[in-house]
Amino acid sequence: MPWPRLTSALAADAALEAKIDEILAQMSVEEKVGQMIQPEIKQVTPQDIKDYHLGSVLNGGGSVPNNDRYAKASDWVALADSFFDAAADCSDGKVYVPIIWGTDAVHGVGNVVGATLFPHNIALGATHNPELIREIGEVTAREIAAIGIDWDFSPTVAVARDDRWGRTYEAYSEDPEIVRAYAGQMVEGLQGAASSGDFLNEQHVIATAKHFIGDGGTINGIDRGDCQDDEQTLCDIHGAGYFSAIEAGVQSVMASFNSWHGEKLHGHKHLLTTVLKDTLGFDGLVVGDWNGHGFIEGAEVLNCPQAINAGLDIFMVPDPDWKILFNNTVEQIKSGVIDAARADDAVRRILRVKLRAGLFERGKPSSRPLAGRDELIGAPGHRAVARRAVRESLVMLKNKNNLLPLSPRQRVLVAGDGADNLSKQAGGWSVTWQGTGTDRRDFPGATSVYDGLAARVNAAGGEIELSETGEYSVKPDVAIVVWGEAAYAEMQGDIQNLLFKEGAGRDWALLQKLQAEGIPVVSLFMTGRPMWVNREINASDAFVAIWQPGTEGAGVADVLFTRADGAVNYPMKGKLTFSWPREPDQVPLNRGDDDYDPLFAYGYGLAYGDADTLGDDLPEDYDAGGETLDELLVFNRRPMEPYGIMVQGRQNDRQLMQGNRVEVSSICVTAVDREVQEDARRAQWNGSGVGLVALTTRDRQVLVDYLDSDGALIFDVKVDAAPSQSVTLRLGCGPDSNSDLDITDTVQALAGNAWAQVRVPLRLFPDVGSDFGLVLPPEEFFHRILEPFTLVTEGELDLSFSRVALEKGAASGLAGIEVIKS
């Protein structure tokens, strides 16, 4: 085999192993299985922890104590205390084993409002600074400890080989060299140095290298897809981060959702056991990912002996029926379906990690020195580390006539939808799982890019004006335009090619407008991956990739502006760790490819004063017209940009959905799991009056092509409780300007059944009455759609919807609504 034999910085400890033997000998099968089951905090109570001897819990992205988004550190600690006390209650004669709580702090403690959020990993790669990575780990560990949690599901050590992958920004590089250099440093920052007294003390937490293995190498960059690399490549490229993590003493590895040559990693005995544990010498625990074991061929979420037999040690099972998995696993060990020695090995590994972390001796979370200290969440010293990371991560791709750095004494216009947009600059895994549905209130203490620019200019005596659309009262000396990708996370961030689409026409037009007015233009591109933006680069005098900088946007201004005396304040020093595409479909594109021909090569990045010969004539002749014409996705596991979910109740109380739940007077909408995490929305009408849920956008969309091509509105739906009154499917283009279609019979017929797909020909929607008493012809109405999918009823109704799309030609041959049952 190609895999190396590694030596962990943690030496074997005979006394510790003897203690494990002692504890293990006292445990019943039920107690052992309890250590192997990890529910989500929304699906578990302290009594469950006591009754089922549970060894761990997790909180998913956006999951918080008491469903309170603004929960304080003390609220998190109080919940952790309740779990601790339940595990410590041995009145039933069980042996004491402390509980651990895991959280995804992938760029800071993203679930906690006010936490320090660092630039995402793609930006950190561009710093080429492993020591900085260790400091980031230390800061993250302290903020995790402040909320009473012991375990971080980080670092992600994927080597992203296809930038269409929606998790590209979670990778430090396309090249294993950087990933290996960083992974061990991040582990050491989180856990403390294995050879020191700091190791897993009360200022450090258990780290997790994830996702084992090949998640960054799937075909076409499809999340949870299939990696078909040979084993040597799997080792040399995708193994790199695990090597340094294991050598640094990482205590947890998370199994990946993806497959290797068609076999799911959660059930892959060769890779989980023979490679990871036996050959690489990893002696910590292997935890699953969100119900990932349920994707093993022949397995189910609640019945999966295959995963344990393959080498999984802990089921991550956020399913509300996790107790069924507990009971099935107990029976399978007793009957021999799960090898008893393998189950003991799983528990041994869990106990080993808990003993190494000192959890058996440690008091309840509230008694620990950092617990409940709100002042540590987003502490000034922590933010200073994040701000330095922003400064060092910026990569300058163009600097015509050495426009940058700028004097702060000029008249500056700041434009673009990213300029004062903390949600956009934080990206995914920020307060909510996908990073969507947030606003400035969710980032107290943070600085937007504009905040930083304004502070520098105002301090130097210059003038600054903010206008998202580029309007100004006095012609500026320079315009800084901040634009780019909206927030996204796994699955929902996958794309078909690297053409920048979100707001592309608007952003390009804004850049062109400003240049046409004789204003020098600086583009600041927010992105989680390299993208084809040739048109925008041509329309910019200077172009800087600022990635997704997190909460400390002021770090951008630190580099962009000179000091008052004209000297460079901070150097522009970032260098690409991902190759930048010459064409939108130039994927995969990685250093070392036989036909390697990027626009900007791996390692590229201009410094101040460097000669820039790029010019303004990059090819722009890419026709993206056919990319989205056949199908327009409106909701695919989340609302697709530019759409959001809006609810309105009988009291005209109207709210956009932020996070995983929203409720108004007559309707409540929650994020639920259909196939994967939070990929559907459940809408429950209480019958107190009219209520609606809509997929809506701020700017009217031209959708007439879908009508003219015999298109259909297609959505997946599951009806749990039949409607008590009529149900309307609505298209909307403004207040009181709707086209309503009665779908009561369809919804009634689906009640109590499984998921089904509903296809509604667009031609079925009637002519539209407007608020002026006019009637709009269909052609005009479909030029002004704001809400392509709305459900309305006055009665009681309980249904869930998932994928929503408009598809050309999908109504061909249909006389009416078609229902395709699962």
Side-chain angles (χ1 to χ4, degrees), residues 292-309:
H293 56 278
F295 292 89
I296 299 170
E297 186 174 356
E300 300 173 4
V301 167
L302 304 178
N303 185 0
C304 189
Q306 299 95 321
I308 301 299
N309 284 333

mmCIF file with all atom_site columns, all heavy atoms in Angstrom, residues 292-309:
data_model
loop_
_atom_site.group_PDB
_atom_site.id
_atom_site.type_symbol
_atom_site.label_atom_id
_atom_site.label_alt_id
_atom_site.label_comp_id
_atom_site.label_asym_id
_atom_site.label_entity_id
_atom_site.label_seq_id
_atom_site.pdbx_PDB_ins_code
_atom_site.Cartn_x
_atom_site.Cartn_y
_atom_site.Cartn_z
_atom_site.occupancy
_atom_site.B_iso_or_equiv
_atom_site.pdbx_formal_charge
_atom_site.auth_seq_id
_atom_site.auth_comp_id
_atom_site.auth_asym_id
_atom_site.auth_atom_id
_atom_site.pdbx_PDB_model_num
ATOM 1   N N   . GLY A 1 292 ? -24.599 10.427 7.834  1.00 0.00 ? 292 GLY A N   1
ATOM 2   C CA  . GLY A 1 292 ? -23.855 9.932  6.678  1.00 0.00 ? 292 GLY A CA  1
ATOM 3   C C   . GLY A 1 292 ? -23.854 8.427  6.552  1.00 0.00 ? 292 GLY A C   1
ATOM 4   O O   . GLY A 1 292 ? -23.747 7.883  5.447  1.00 0.00 ? 292 GLY A O   1
ATOM 5   N N   . HIS A 1 293 ? -23.970 7.724  7.675  1.00 0.00 ? 293 HIS A N   1
ATOM 6   C CA  . HIS A 1 293 ? -23.992 6.263  7.631  1.00 0.00 ? 293 HIS A CA  1
ATOM 7   C C   . HIS A 1 293 ? -25.205 5.737  6.865  1.00 0.00 ? 293 HIS A C   1
ATOM 8   O O   . HIS A 1 293 ? -25.174 4.628  6.328  1.00 0.00 ? 293 HIS A O   1
ATOM 9   C CB  . HIS A 1 293 ? -23.988 5.690  9.051  1.00 0.00 ? 293 HIS A CB  1
ATOM 10  C CG  . HIS A 1 293 ? -25.120 6.191  9.900  1.00 0.00 ? 293 HIS A CG  1
ATOM 11  N ND1 . HIS A 1 293 ? -25.088 7.416  10.548 1.00 0.00 ? 293 HIS A ND1 1
ATOM 12  C CD2 . HIS A 1 293 ? -26.325 5.654  10.209 1.00 0.00 ? 293 HIS A CD2 1
ATOM 13  C CE1 . HIS A 1 293 ? -26.207 7.588  11.213 1.00 0.00 ? 293 HIS A CE1 1
ATOM 14  N NE2 . HIS A 1 293 ? -26.986 6.536  11.021 1.00 0.00 ? 293 HIS A NE2 1
ATOM 15  N N   . GLY A 1 294 ? -26.266 6.541  6.804  1.00 0.00 ? 294 GLY A N   1
ATOM 16  C CA  . GLY A 1 294 ? -27.483 6.090  6.136  1.00 0.00 ? 294 GLY A CA  1
ATOM 17  C C   . GLY A 1 294 ? -27.364 5.992  4.632  1.00 0.00 ? 294 GLY A C   1
ATOM 18  O O   . GLY A 1 294 ? -28.260 5.447  3.974  1.00 0.00 ? 294 GLY A O   1
ATOM 19  N N   . PHE A 1 295 ? -26.251 6.481  4.056  1.00 0.00 ? 295 PHE A N   1
ATOM 20  C CA  . PHE A 1 295 ? -26.061 6.430  2.612  1.00 0.00 ? 295 PHE A CA  1
ATOM 21  C C   . PHE A 1 295 ? -25.293 5.187  2.173  1.00 0.00 ? 295 PHE A C   1
ATOM 22  O O   . PHE A 1 295 ? -25.087 4.970  0.978  1.00 0.00 ? 295 PHE A O   1
ATOM 23  C CB  . PHE A 1 295 ? -25.327 7.689  2.138  1.00 0.00 ? 295 PHE A CB  1
ATOM 24  C CG  . PHE A 1 295 ? -26.141 8.943  2.281  1.00 0.00 ? 295 PHE A CG  1
ATOM 25  C CD1 . PHE A 1 295 ? -26.109 9.676  3.457  1.00 0.00 ? 295 PHE A CD1 1
ATOM 26  C CD2 . PHE A 1 295 ? -26.956 9.384  1.257  1.00 0.00 ? 295 PHE A CD2 1
ATOM 27  C CE1 . PHE A 1 295 ? -26.856 10.831 3.606  1.00 0.00 ? 295 PHE A CE1 1
ATOM 28  C CE2 . PHE A 1 295 ? -27.718 10.532 1.394  1.00 0.00 ? 295 PHE A CE2 1
ATOM 29  C CZ  . PHE A 1 295 ? -27.668 11.261 2.576  1.00 0.00 ? 295 PHE A CZ  1
ATOM 30  N N   . ILE A 1 296 ? -24.864 4.359  3.131  1.00 0.00 ? 296 ILE A N   1
ATOM 31  C CA  . ILE A 1 296 ? -24.189 3.112  2.782  1.00 0.00 ? 296 ILE A CA  1
ATOM 32  C C   . ILE A 1 296 ? -25.172 2.190  2.070  1.00 0.00 ? 296 ILE A C   1
ATOM 33  O O   . ILE A 1 296 ? -26.331 2.061  2.480  1.00 0.00 ? 296 ILE A O   1
ATOM 34  C CB  . ILE A 1 296 ? -23.640 2.419  4.050  1.00 0.00 ? 296 ILE A CB  1
ATOM 35  C CG1 . ILE A 1 296 ? -22.616 3.314  4.754  1.00 0.00 ? 296 ILE A CG1 1
ATOM 36  C CG2 . ILE A 1 296 ? -23.020 1.070  3.721  1.00 0.00 ? 296 ILE A CG2 1
ATOM 37  C CD1 . ILE A 1 296 ? -22.212 2.808  6.125  1.00 0.00 ? 296 ILE A CD1 1
ATOM 38  N N   . GLU A 1 297 ? -24.711 1.577  1.019  1.00 0.00 ? 297 GLU A N   1
ATOM 39  C CA  . GLU A 1 297 ? -25.591 0.677  0.274  1.00 0.00 ? 297 GLU A CA  1
ATOM 40  C C   . GLU A 1 297 ? -26.105 -0.436 1.191  1.00 0.00 ? 297 GLU A C   1
ATOM 41  O O   . GLU A 1 297 ? -25.336 -1.100 1.893  1.00 0.00 ? 297 GLU A O   1
ATOM 42  C CB  . GLU A 1 297 ? -24.845 0.064  -0.910 1.00 0.00 ? 297 GLU A CB  1
ATOM 43  C CG  . GLU A 1 297 ? -25.731 -0.775 -1.815 1.00 0.00 ? 297 GLU A CG  1
ATOM 44  C CD  . GLU A 1 297 ? -25.017 -1.271 -3.059 1.00 0.00 ? 297 GLU A CD  1
ATOM 45  O OE1 . GLU A 1 297 ? -23.841 -0.892 -3.242 1.00 0.00 ? 297 GLU A OE1 1
ATOM 46  O OE2 . GLU A 1 297 ? -25.642 -2.021 -3.841 1.00 0.00 ? 297 GLU A OE2 1
ATOM 47  N N   . GLY A 1 298 ? -27.439 -0.614 1.203  1.00 0.00 ? 298 GLY A N   1
ATOM 48  C CA  . GLY A 1 298 ? -28.055 -1.651 2.011  1.00 0.00 ? 298 GLY A CA  1
ATOM 49  C C   . GLY A 1 298 ? -28.313 -1.252 3.449  1.00 0.00 ? 298 GLY A C   1
ATOM 50  O O   . GLY A 1 298 ? -28.849 -2.053 4.222  1.00 0.00 ? 298 GLY A O   1
ATOM 51  N N   . ALA A 1 299 ? -27.939 -0.030 3.813  1.00 0.00 ? 299 ALA A N   1
ATOM 52  C CA  . ALA A 1 299 ? -28.113 0.430  5.192  1.00 0.00 ? 299 ALA A CA  1
ATOM 53  C C   . ALA A 1 299 ? -29.246 1.440  5.275  1.00 0.00 ? 299 ALA A C   1
ATOM 54  O O   . ALA A 1 299 ? -29.761 1.919  4.262  1.00 0.00 ? 299 ALA A O   1
ATOM 55  C CB  . ALA A 1 299 ? -26.826 1.045  5.718  1.00 0.00 ? 299 ALA A CB  1
ATOM 56  N N   . GLU A 1 300 ? -29.612 1.754  6.493  1.00 0.00 ? 300 GLU A N   1
ATOM 57  C CA  . GLU A 1 300 ? -30.590 2.802  6.771  1.00 0.00 ? 300 GLU A CA  1
ATOM 58  C C   . GLU A 1 300 ? -30.051 3.654  7.904  1.00 0.00 ? 300 GLU A C   1
ATOM 59  O O   . GLU A 1 300 ? -29.191 3.228  8.676  1.00 0.00 ? 300 GLU A O   1
ATOM 60  C CB  . GLU A 1 300 ? -31.942 2.191  7.178  1.00 0.00 ? 300 GLU A CB  1
ATOM 61  C CG  . GLU A 1 300 ? -32.566 1.294  6.120  1.00 0.00 ? 300 GLU A CG  1
ATOM 62  C CD  . GLU A 1 300 ? -33.809 0.583  6.655  1.00 0.00 ? 300 GLU A CD  1
ATOM 63  O OE1 . GLU A 1 300 ? -34.209 0.854  7.811  1.00 0.00 ? 300 GLU A OE1 1
ATOM 64  O OE2 . GLU A 1 300 ? -34.368 -0.249 5.920  1.00 0.00 ? 300 GLU A OE2 1
ATOM 65  N N   . VAL A 1 301 ? -30.581 4.870  8.009  1.00 0.00 ? 301 VAL A N   1
ATOM 66  C CA  . VAL A 1 301 ? -30.129 5.774  9.062  1.00 0.00 ? 301 VAL A CA  1
ATOM 67  C C   . VAL A 1 301 ? -30.295 5.142  10.436 1.00 0.00 ? 301 VAL A C   1
ATOM 68  O O   . VAL A 1 301 ? -29.438 5.309  11.319 1.00 0.00 ? 301 VAL A O   1
ATOM 69  C CB  . VAL A 1 301 ? -30.901 7.110  8.992  1.00 0.00 ? 301 VAL A CB  1
ATOM 70  C CG1 . VAL A 1 301 ? -30.684 7.942  10.255 1.00 0.00 ? 301 VAL A CG1 1
ATOM 71  C CG2 . VAL A 1 301 ? -30.470 7.904  7.763  1.00 0.00 ? 301 VAL A CG2 1
ATOM 72  N N   . LEU A 1 302 ? -31.356 4.400  10.645 1.00 0.00 ? 302 LEU A N   1
ATOM 73  C CA  . LEU A 1 302 ? -31.644 3.838  11.965 1.00 0.00 ? 302 LEU A CA  1
ATOM 74  C C   . LEU A 1 302 ? -31.305 2.360  12.073 1.00 0.00 ? 302 LEU A C   1
ATOM 75  O O   . LEU A 1 302 ? -31.643 1.703  13.064 1.00 0.00 ? 302 LEU A O   1
ATOM 76  C CB  . LEU A 1 302 ? -33.125 4.062  12.306 1.00 0.00 ? 302 LEU A CB  1
ATOM 77  C CG  . LEU A 1 302 ? -33.574 5.530  12.260 1.00 0.00 ? 302 LEU A CG  1
ATOM 78  C CD1 . LEU A 1 302 ? -35.055 5.657  12.564 1.00 0.00 ? 302 LEU A CD1 1
ATOM 79  C CD2 . LEU A 1 302 ? -32.757 6.384  13.224 1.00 0.00 ? 302 LEU A CD2 1
ATOM 80  N N   . ASN A 1 303 ? -30.611 1.838  11.074 1.00 0.00 ? 303 ASN A N   1
ATOM 81  C CA  . ASN A 1 303 ? -30.245 0.415  11.088 1.00 0.00 ? 303 ASN A CA  1
ATOM 82  C C   . ASN A 1 303 ? -28.981 0.258  10.248 1.00 0.00 ? 303 ASN A C   1
ATOM 83  O O   . ASN A 1 303 ? -29.056 0.064  9.035  1.00 0.00 ? 303 ASN A O   1
ATOM 84  C CB  . ASN A 1 303 ? -31.389 -0.423 10.514 1.00 0.00 ? 303 ASN A CB  1
ATOM 85  C CG  . ASN A 1 303 ? -31.123 -1.912 10.620 1.00 0.00 ? 303 ASN A CG  1
ATOM 86  O OD1 . ASN A 1 303 ? -30.082 -2.337 11.126 1.00 0.00 ? 303 ASN A OD1 1
ATOM 87  N ND2 . ASN A 1 303 ? -32.056 -2.715 10.140 1.00 0.00 ? 303 ASN A ND2 1
ATOM 88  N N   . CYS A 1 304 ? -27.821 0.336  10.888 1.00 0.00 ? 304 CYS A N   1
ATOM 89  C CA  . CYS A 1 304 ? -26.591 0.411  10.108 1.00 0.00 ? 304 CYS A CA  1
ATOM 90  C C   . CYS A 1 304 ? -25.412 -0.272 10.803 1.00 0.00 ? 304 CYS A C   1
ATOM 91  O O   . CYS A 1 304 ? -24.443 0.384  11.214 1.00 0.00 ? 304 CYS A O   1
ATOM 92  C CB  . CYS A 1 304 ? -26.248 1.869  9.808  1.00 0.00 ? 304 CYS A CB  1
ATOM 93  S SG  . CYS A 1 304 ? -24.900 2.061  8.625  1.00 0.00 ? 304 CYS A SG  1
ATOM 94  N N   . PRO A 1 305 ? -25.448 -1.586 10.926 1.00 0.00 ? 305 PRO A N   1
ATOM 95  C CA  . PRO A 1 305 ? -24.281 -2.287 11.488 1.00 0.00 ? 305 PRO A CA  1
ATOM 96  C C   . PRO A 1 305 ? -23.057 -2.173 10.586 1.00 0.00 ? 305 PRO A C   1
ATOM 97  O O   . PRO A 1 305 ? -21.925 -2.288 11.055 1.00 0.00 ? 305 PRO A O   1
ATOM 98  C CB  . PRO A 1 305 ? -24.772 -3.732 11.596 1.00 0.00 ? 305 PRO A CB  1
ATOM 99  C CG  . PRO A 1 305 ? -25.854 -3.862 10.558 1.00 0.00 ? 305 PRO A CG  1
ATOM 100 C CD  . PRO A 1 305 ? -26.528 -2.531 10.550 1.00 0.00 ? 305 PRO A CD  1
ATOM 101 N N   . GLN A 1 306 ? -23.280 -1.955 9.286  1.00 0.00 ? 306 GLN A N   1
ATOM 102 C CA  . GLN A 1 306 ? -22.157 -1.896 8.334  1.00 0.00 ? 306 GLN A CA  1
ATOM 103 C C   . GLN A 1 306 ? -21.139 -0.837 8.731  1.00 0.00 ? 306 GLN A C   1
ATOM 104 O O   . GLN A 1 306 ? -19.930 -1.022 8.569  1.00 0.00 ? 306 GLN A O   1
ATOM 105 C CB  . GLN A 1 306 ? -22.666 -1.612 6.915  1.00 0.00 ? 306 GLN A CB  1
ATOM 106 C CG  . GLN A 1 306 ? -23.609 -2.668 6.349  1.00 0.00 ? 306 GLN A CG  1
ATOM 107 C CD  . GLN A 1 306 ? -25.077 -2.330 6.549  1.00 0.00 ? 306 GLN A CD  1
ATOM 108 O OE1 . GLN A 1 306 ? -25.464 -1.806 7.609  1.00 0.00 ? 306 GLN A OE1 1
ATOM 109 N NE2 . GLN A 1 306 ? -25.903 -2.632 5.558  1.00 0.00 ? 306 GLN A NE2 1
ATOM 110 N N   . ALA A 1 307 ? -21.613 0.305  9.222  1.00 0.00 ? 307 ALA A N   1
ATOM 111 C CA  . ALA A 1 307 ? -20.703 1.406  9.534  1.00 0.00 ? 307 ALA A CA  1
ATOM 112 C C   . ALA A 1 307 ? -19.779 1.048  10.691 1.00 0.00 ? 307 ALA A C   1
ATOM 113 O O   . ALA A 1 307 ? -18.565 1.289  10.635 1.00 0.00 ? 307 ALA A O   1
ATOM 114 C CB  . ALA A 1 307 ? -21.499 2.663  9.857  1.00 0.00 ? 307 ALA A CB  1
ATOM 115 N N   . ILE A 1 308 ? -20.338 0.491  11.754 1.00 0.00 ? 308 ILE A N   1
ATOM 116 C CA  . ILE A 1 308 ? -19.501 0.118  12.906 1.00 0.00 ? 308 ILE A CA  1
ATOM 117 C C   . ILE A 1 308 ? -18.515 -0.969 12.512 1.00 0.00 ? 308 ILE A C   1
ATOM 118 O O   . ILE A 1 308 ? -17.318 -0.896 12.842 1.00 0.00 ? 308 ILE A O   1
ATOM 119 C CB  . ILE A 1 308 ? -20.368 -0.331 14.085 1.00 0.00 ? 308 ILE A CB  1
ATOM 120 C CG1 . ILE A 1 308 ? -21.333 0.781  14.502 1.00 0.00 ? 308 ILE A CG1 1
ATOM 121 C CG2 . ILE A 1 308 ? -19.488 -0.761 15.260 1.00 0.00 ? 308 ILE A CG2 1
ATOM 122 C CD1 . ILE A 1 308 ? -20.671 2.050  14.953 1.00 0.00 ? 308 ILE A CD1 1
ATOM 123 N N   . ASN A 1 309 ? -18.973 -1.965 11.791 1.00 0.00 ? 309 ASN A N   1
ATOM 124 C CA  . ASN A 1 309 ? -18.070 -3.044 11.370 1.00 0.00 ? 309 ASN A CA  1
ATOM 125 C C   . ASN A 1 309 ? -16.954 -2.531 10.463 1.00 0.00 ? 309 ASN A C   1
ATOM 126 O O   . ASN A 1 309 ? -15.851 -3.080 10.446 1.00 0.00 ? 309 ASN A O   1
ATOM 127 C CB  . ASN A 1 309 ? -18.864 -4.141 10.659 1.00 0.00 ? 309 ASN A CB  1
ATOM 128 C CG  . ASN A 1 309 ? -19.654 -5.015 11.624 1.00 0.00 ? 309 ASN A CG  1
ATOM 129 O OD1 . ASN A 1 309 ? -19.261 -5.164 12.781 1.00 0.00 ? 309 ASN A OD1 1
ATOM 130 N ND2 . ASN A 1 309 ? -20.760 -5.582 11.156 1.00 0.00 ? 309 ASN A ND2 1
#
